Amino acid sequence: MTMKEYRIDNLSCANCAQKFENNLNKLPDVKEAKVNFGASKVIIEGDVTEDDIDQAGAFDGIKVQRQQQSNLSPKTPFYKKRENIVAVIALVFVVIGYIVSLTAGEKAPLTIFFFVVAILIGGTEIFIDGFKNSLKLDFDMKTLMTIAIIGAAIIGEWKEAAVVVFLFAVSEALEAYSMDKARQSIRSLMDIAPPKALIRRQNQQMEVPTEAIEIGDLLLVKPGEKIAMDGVVIKGQSTVNQAAITGESMPVSKGIGNEVFAGTLNDTGALEVEVTKHVEDTTIAKIIHLVEEAQAEKAPSQQFVDRFAKYYTPAIMIIALLIAVIPSLITGDWARWVYQGLAVLVVGCPCALIISTPVAIVTAIGNAAKQGVLIKGGIHLEELGHVDAIAFDKTGTLTKGVPTVTTAQFQTLENRDVLAYIIAVERSSQHPLASAVIDYAHMQNTVQLTSNNFQSVTGKGVRAQVNESIVQIGSVRWIAEETAVSKELEDEMTALQNAGNSLIVAAIDGQFAGYIAIADQLREDTVDVLQKLKRLGIKKLLMLTGDAQSTAQAIGKKLPLDDIKADLMPADKLVVIRDLQQVYKVAMVGDGVNDAPALASASVGIAMGGAGTDTALETADVALMADDLQKLPYSVGLSRKTLTIIKQNITFALALKIIALLLVIPGWLTLWIAIFADMGATLIVVFNSLRLLKIQK
């Protein structure tokens, strides 16, 4: 069977999304259908047509989006949306009904006529769906509303029935608005990459849709244009604004050999880019896919609400029936208590409760994606909010990951430029620290010499000939064995090693020539980030590294860490994480490659790395798309704020309904109060959740 994905229009209600999914799964040729409410799409395994899908969603006007030229259909203006037009027309007739009632009276036929028209215009779809649901014993919000409105009409409360229909329409419009607002973050991501691009293929320039661009095509990007595809620069020099992908605030310099990403903005120079990925494999496409999948995965709090709502709606119907019948049998006042029962049905609508979690989750994940933080599911968002211990890999996470020269000391040897001799040898070396020495020499404008007879001495260093001189470069111990090194110099070099430096020591023609100290430098903002995490309530911060204990301690002394673990292999990091999890909820922060076992084992795995790091996207639960450690406290703060807002939403939704239900006791509950309680709860939940859009790094 085939599996296909469809984008959906008019999917504005969580309850309707569940019903839509159930309808699809009942189709004879469908093996499985999954509706992603947050992303407004459906994945179907089976053989169905778009018309079949439309039929399954006909109960609420849910349809397949047929605009193929865009990832998302254009936004429909408020005044053109059918449900909004219907609500406005219903309001007009309600107002006319009120005006007529002031002169002719509430029971006058003309007054009742205008209220009936308002009810029919605003409530026809509600009634049709409500009746159908009642026949199937499927009691959703529209079923409750249908019973309540018809009951109000039977007992002569035409005015209230008309107002309830109008307010319910407003409530549904608000829910649709809130989900649309929450989905705007995905819409903005989808609109990042241009739909067409200028390419050169077989020495011919042509403008083609991005879907038609092939790997190996040459992308021609003018200044001020967006880059349409992932690729590598083969010609030109420019700066590129990567904020849309990584959240970096400053443009990044790009030249020949540098990687660029679809959706980023070319700044000042023209670039030729060799395309390296198909449109569906670009970094932005992967991010969109992962964000959408993240919104489909239900968070623990949402699973709880769904289970609760399953029993909540039937319970409300039973309570409403008991309130309508039992006091009526005792007092004989059927009109009053039936009215109270109908009001309970309205106030019991689970709308606000059902959207209390997903609207917050969708908003938070979408906002994080715009800030360059990819959170791969509601469950990971909630887990991050509960984290109270964070373990950091050292290299490339707390430090820059690039060795740099910190100190250099050279002897004067017969007017030789000692650094030039060292560089002549290091250019042939495969040692990982050689590049740091070469970069240092470039900054010193060192004379370029050449070496001959290069030899590697296993475990000790290298030897070569430069201008008839024999140059040896290696460890302190080896050079001390080969030459005379003063006790003062040995103590000096030992102190540098104890401070976390690696040393390259040189001898020329058997004489000590000098040393170069190299170290991986701390990021400028590491201390600030760790302090922010402490203020956010993280109880334990520790560093895990494969470096020697002395190097680890030298780095650790500069940081507000609670513990340092050194000499660790990847498997050892896994053991440390598992031990920590006996006491704490642990997050692991690493580069997503050698830290993969620890990232997978932690409660939340957080990968550092630039855009396009496939391992980071695949391994971790959270990926910081730019190499920016400041995004970590932002992510923890966002997740904790989301947890708070979800709890507030559930509390508000239930508290307002409980307060309204308590008004039954003195008999004060009216249909107006009921619908305002339901709509008020929905409004509070919606606007409380949208506060998450304001949280910035």
Side-chain angles (χ1 to χ4, degrees), residues 149-165:
I149 293 165
I150 292 173
I154 289 171
I155 60 175
E157 295 291 343
W158 297 102
K159 179 166 63 177
E160 294 203 16
V163 172
V164 166
V165 166

Side-chain angles (χ1 to χ4, degrees), residues 79-96:
Y79 59 86
K80 288 187 178 180
K81 288 187 176 181
R82 188 182 57 81
E83 61 268 27
N84 296 339
I85 295 170
V86 167
V88 170
I89 295 172
L91 174 62
V92 169
F93 279 96
V94 168
V95 171
I96 293 172

Side-chain angles (χ1 to χ4, degrees), residues 1-116:
M1 279 193 172
T2 58
M3 184 173 286
K4 292 187 73 175
E5 180 182 293
Y6 301 89
R7 296 203 173 274
I8 303 298
D9 283 330
N10 304 324
L11 194 65
S12 57
C13 159
N15 196 48
C16 301
Q18 185 61 56
K19 188 173 176 181
F20 178 46
E21 182 175 289
N22 294 339
N23 290 350
L24 289 171
N25 280 308
K26 290 174 185 175
L27 294 174
D29 294 325
V30 172
K31 184 177 179 182
E32 186 180 27
K34 287 186 177 179
V35 174
N36 184 332
F37 175 54
S40 197
K41 70 178 185 179
V42 61
I43 299 173
I44 300 176
E45 185 179 356
D47 299 318
V48 292
T49 65
E50 292 184 351
D51 289 337
D52 292 333
I53 299 170
D54 289 350
Q55 190 61 38
F59 68 92
D60 201 43
I62 299 168
K63 293 182 178 181
V64 173
Q65 186 185 109
R66 287 176 167 82
Q67 287 86 352
Q68 297 301 320
Q69 71 276 14
S70 172
N71 282 317
L72 279 176
S73 59
K75 284 186 69 177
T76 306
F78 176 86
Y79 59 86
K80 288 187 178 180
K81 288 187 176 181
R82 188 182 57 81
E83 61 268 27
N84 296 339
I85 295 170
V86 167
V88 170
I89 295 172
L91 174 62
V92 169
F93 279 96
V94 168
V95 171
I96 293 172
Y98 263 87
I99 293 170
V100 172
S101 70
L102 293 175
T103 55
E106 288 189 17
K107 304 299 181 182
L110 188 60
T111 303
I112 294 173
F113 168 78
F114 283 115
F115 286 137
V116 169

Side-chain angles (χ1 to χ4, degrees), residues 298-313:
K298 290 187 176 180
S301 57
Q302 188 173 345
Q303 292 171 351
F304 161 75
V305 168
D306 289 347
R307 288 195 302 270
F308 181 79
K310 185 178 178 181
Y311 300 103
Y312 168 84
T313 305

Side-chain angles (χ1 to χ4, degrees), residues 408-478:
Q409 182 73 46
F410 305 112
Q411 302 289 89
T412 303
L413 296 177
E414 299 172 6
N415 296 319
R416 289 189 183 99
D417 185 342
V418 173
L419 181 57
Y421 276 67
I422 292 172
I423 292 305
V425 178
E426 286 289 11
R427 283 198 186 94
S428 303
S429 174
Q430 300 297 315
H431 194 281
L433 300 181
S435 60
V437 180
I438 292 168
D439 289 343
Y440 174 73
H442 282 318
M443 290 188 290
Q444 302 299 317
N445 296 318
T446 305
V447 176
Q448 290 198 13
L449 303 176
T450 56
S451 64
N452 300 300
N453 303 323
F454 181 88
Q455 291 179 311
S456 177
V457 183
T458 305
K460 294 182 177 180
V462 294
R463 179 190 287 117
Q465 184 177 329
V466 181
N467 286 351
E468 308 302 325
S469 294
I470 301 299
V471 181
Q472 295 169 269
I473 300 172
S475 66
V476 176
R477 181 181 297 175
W478 184 45

Side-chain angles (χ1 to χ4, degrees), residues 276-339:
T276 57
K277 293 179 182 177
H278 290 115
V279 66
E280 64 271 15
D281 297 324
T282 60
T283 302
I284 187 65
K286 286 183 179 180
I287 291 172
I288 292 166
H289 175 73
L290 289 170
V291 169
E292 290 183 335
E293 292 308 303
Q295 295 178 346
E297 183 183 346
K298 290 187 176 180
S301 57
Q302 188 173 345
Q303 292 171 351
F304 161 75
V305 168
D306 289 347
R307 288 195 302 270
F308 181 79
K310 185 178 178 181
Y311 300 103
Y312 168 84
T313 305
I316 283 292
M317 294 195 70
I318 292 168
I319 291 170
L321 181 64
L322 293 175
I323 288 172
V325 174
I326 293 175
S328 299
L329 290 172
I330 295 170
T331 63
D333 190 352
W334 284 89
R336 177 187 175 189
W337 291 106
V338 166
Y339 178 86

Side-chain angles (χ1 to χ4, degrees), residues 144-213:
L144 302 184
M145 291 300 299
T146 300
I147 296 169
I149 293 165
I150 292 173
I154 289 171
I155 60 175
E157 295 291 343
W158 297 102
K159 179 166 63 177
E160 294 203 16
V163 172
V164 166
V165 166
F166 164 70
L167 291 177
F168 182 71
V170 172
S171 180
E172 289 215 308
L174 286 170
E175 186 177 349
Y177 167 79
S178 70
M179 287 311 302
D180 187 59
K181 191 78 174 172
R183 290 178 186 134
Q184 278 182 11
S185 51
I186 297 181
R187 181 178 285 110
S188 62
L189 284 174
M190 289 180 165
D191 290 340
I192 283 172
K196 293 181 180 180
L198 183 66
I199 66 166
R200 181 183 295 130
R201 183 185 295 168
Q202 297 174 349
N203 292 323
Q204 289 188 336
Q205 287 190 18
M206 60 188 82
E207 187 176 60
V208 297
T210 51
E211 293 83 0
I213 296 176

